[in-house]
Amino acid sequence: MKTTDLARVRATLWAAADELRANSKLTPGQYRDPVLGLVFLAYAESRFEAVRGEVEAGASARNPVTIADYKAKSVLYVPDEARLSSLVDLPEGEDVGKATDQAIKSIEEANPELKDILPRGYQKLERSTLIELLRLFAPLPTQLEGDAFGFIYEDFLSNFAAQEGRGAESTSRRTPSSASSLRS
């Protein structure tokens, strides 16, 4: 992917995700972890799918594919239910927040080194916001590769930090007397 294409993808993703946040009741701080978790799921699925054919080609009835085969390729094992593509394809009435939290739990169970590291709380997001986020990020595993995910992740981190900083700055502007009382 060309740098200009990547820059466009990064800007488009941020604008769309930020628009969803702006239309929700969430602060940037409340929204950051779930969004970064979805970027992580897209990255994990992309890496998994990149080696899946090779790993499965080496399997046989006597030597089936195991999680260790993926780890030997320096890839996290991503169970079916933990893939963004599976989450997007859930039936209409399904509890998407619960399924996304379960996806995170499934990845942690398959990859114990991630236990209690990945974000949770997708059930707290508005259903419509989560569905749109899933749709936004679901195509990434087929559109991006390698460092592109890192760049997007870094962009999102810096954009969230900037928004959170602006929020703190505007709060401190509204209450100058509280700042002076702290010095007393």
Side-chain angles (χ1 to χ4, degrees), residues 3 6 22 27 33 36 39 43 48 55 67 73-74 84 96 118 134 138 143 165 170 177 182 184:
T3 306
L6 179 57
T27 66
D33 288 343
L36 292 175
V39 173
Y43 171 73
F48 178 82
V55 169
I67 292 173
K73 299 277 184 194
S74 299
L84 279 179
V96 179
L118 301 177
L134 288 168
Q143 294 175 348
S170 64
S177 60
L182 290 176
S184 307

Coordinates of all heavy atoms in Angstrom, one line a residue, residues 3 6 22 27 33 36 39 43 48 55 67 73-74 84 96 118 134 138 143 165 170 177 182 184:
T3 N 2.1 5.1 0.6 CA 1.9 6.0 1.8 C 0.7 6.9 1.7 O 0.0 7.1 2.6 CB 3.2 6.8 1.9 OG1 4.3 6.0 2.0 CG2 3.2 7.7 3.2
L6 N -2.3 4.9 2.5 CA -2.4 4.6 3.9 C -2.8 5.8 4.7 O -3.7 5.8 5.6 CB -1.0 4.1 4.4 CG -0.9 3.8 5.9 CD1 -2.0 2.8 6.3 CD2 0.4 3.3 6.3
A22 N -18.8 11.0 18.5 CA -19.5 12.3 18.7 C -21.0 12.1 18.8 O -21.7 12.9 19.5 CB -19.1 13.2 17.6
T27 N -17.2 9.7 26.2 CA -16.1 10.6 26.2 C -15.0 9.9 25.4 O -15.0 8.7 25.2 CB -15.5 10.9 27.6 OG1 -15.0 9.7 28.1 CG2 -16.6 11.5 28.5
D33 N -10.5 2.6 24.5 CA -10.1 1.2 24.6 C -10.9 0.3 23.7 O -10.4 -0.6 23.1 CB -10.2 0.8 26.1 CG -9.1 1.4 26.9 OD1 -8.1 1.9 26.4 OD2 -9.2 1.4 28.2
L36 N -9.6 0.8 20.1 CA -8.3 0.2 19.9 C -8.3 -1.3 20.0 O -7.6 -2.0 19.3 CB -7.3 0.8 21.0 CG -7.0 2.3 20.8 CD1 -6.1 2.7 22.0 CD2 -6.3 2.5 19.5
V39 N -9.3 -2.4 16.6 CA -8.1 -2.3 15.7 C -7.2 -3.6 15.9 O -6.7 -4.2 15.0 CB -7.3 -1.0 15.9 CG1 -6.0 -1.0 15.1 CG2 -8.2 0.2 15.5
Y43 N -6.1 -6.5 13.3 CA -4.7 -6.9 13.1 C -4.4 -8.4 13.4 O -3.8 -9.0 12.6 CB -3.8 -6.0 14.1 CG -2.3 -6.5 14.1 CD1 -1.5 -6.2 13.0 CD2 -1.8 -7.1 15.2 CE1 -0.2 -6.6 13.0 CE2 -0.5 -7.5 15.2 CZ 0.3 -7.3 14.1 OH 1.6 -7.7 14.2
F48 N -3.3 -13.8 11.3 CA -3.7 -15.1 11.4 C -4.0 -15.7 10.0 O -3.5 -16.7 9.6 CB -5.0 -15.3 12.3 CG -5.5 -16.6 12.4 CD1 -5.0 -17.6 13.3 CD2 -6.6 -17.0 11.6 CE1 -5.5 -18.8 13.4 CE2 -7.2 -18.3 11.7 CZ -6.6 -19.2 12.6
V55 N 0.0 -22.9 7.3 CA -0.1 -23.8 8.5 C -1.0 -25.0 8.2 O -0.7 -26.2 8.5 CB -0.6 -23.0 9.8 CG1 -1.0 -24.0 10.9 CG2 0.4 -22.0 10.2
I67 N -2.8 -24.8 18.1 CA -2.5 -23.4 18.4 C -1.0 -23.2 18.3 O -0.5 -22.1 17.9 CB -3.1 -23.0 19.8 CG1 -4.6 -22.9 19.7 CG2 -2.5 -21.7 20.3 CD1 -5.3 -22.8 21.0
K73 N 4.8 -19.6 14.2 CA 4.9 -18.6 13.1 C 4.8 -17.2 13.7 O 4.6 -16.2 12.9 CB 3.8 -18.8 12.1 CG 3.8 -20.1 11.4 CD 4.7 -20.1 10.3 CE 4.7 -21.4 9.5 NZ 5.8 -21.5 8.6
S74 N 4.9 -17.0 15.0 CA 4.8 -15.7 15.7 C 3.4 -15.1 15.4 O 3.4 -13.8 15.2 CB 5.9 -14.8 15.3 OG 7.1 -15.4 15.6
L84 N -13.3 -10.4 13.4 CA -14.2 -9.3 13.1 C -15.2 -9.7 12.1 O -16.4 -9.4 12.1 CB -13.4 -8.1 12.6 CG -12.8 -7.2 13.6 CD1 -12.0 -6.1 13.0 CD2 -13.8 -6.7 14.6
V96 N -24.6 -8.1 20.2 CA -23.2 -7.8 19.6 C -22.2 -7.5 20.7 O -21.1 -7.9 20.6 CB -23.3 -6.7 18.5 CG1 -22.0 -6.4 17.9 CG2 -24.3 -7.1 17.5
L118 N -6.4 -7.3 27.1 CA -7.3 -6.7 26.1 C -8.5 -6.1 26.7 O -9.0 -6.4 27.8 CB -7.7 -7.9 25.1 CG -6.6 -8.6 24.4 CD1 -7.1 -9.7 23.6 CD2 -5.8 -7.6 23.6
L134 N -17.8 -2.1 14.1 CA -17.4 -3.4 13.5 C -17.4 -3.3 12.0 O -16.5 -3.8 11.4 CB -18.4 -4.5 14.0 CG -18.2 -4.9 15.5 CD1 -19.4 -5.7 16.0 CD2 -16.9 -5.6 15.7
A138 N -14.1 -4.1 10.0 CA -14.1 -5.5 9.5 C -13.3 -5.6 8.2 O -12.6 -6.6 8.0 CB -15.5 -6.0 9.3
Q143 N -7.6 -5.4 3.6 CA -7.1 -4.2 3.0 C -5.7 -3.8 3.4 O -5.0 -3.1 2.6 CB -8.1 -3.1 3.2 CG -9.4 -3.2 2.6 CD -10.4 -2.1 3.1 OE1 -10.1 -1.3 3.9 NE2 -11.5 -2.0 2.4
G165 N -6.7 15.6 25.9 CA -6.0 16.8 26.3 C -6.9 18.0 26.1 O -6.9 18.9 27.0
S170 N -10.2 22.4 28.2 CA -11.4 23.1 28.3 C -12.0 23.1 29.7 O -12.6 24.1 30.1 CB -12.4 22.6 27.3 OG -12.8 21.3 27.5
S177 N -10.9 29.2 39.1 CA -10.8 29.4 40.6 C -10.4 28.1 41.3 O -9.7 28.2 42.3 CB -12.2 29.9 41.1 OG -13.1 28.9 40.8
L182 N -6.0 25.4 44.5 CA -5.1 24.3 44.8 C -3.7 24.9 45.2 O -3.0 24.2 45.9 CB -4.9 23.5 43.5 CG -6.1 22.6 43.1 CD1 -5.9 21.9 41.8 CD2 -6.4 21.6 44.2
S184 N -3.2 27.5 47.0 CA -3.3 28.2 48.3 C -2.9 27.2 49.4 O -3.0 26.1 49.4 CB -4.7 28.7 48.6 OG -5.1 29.5 47.6

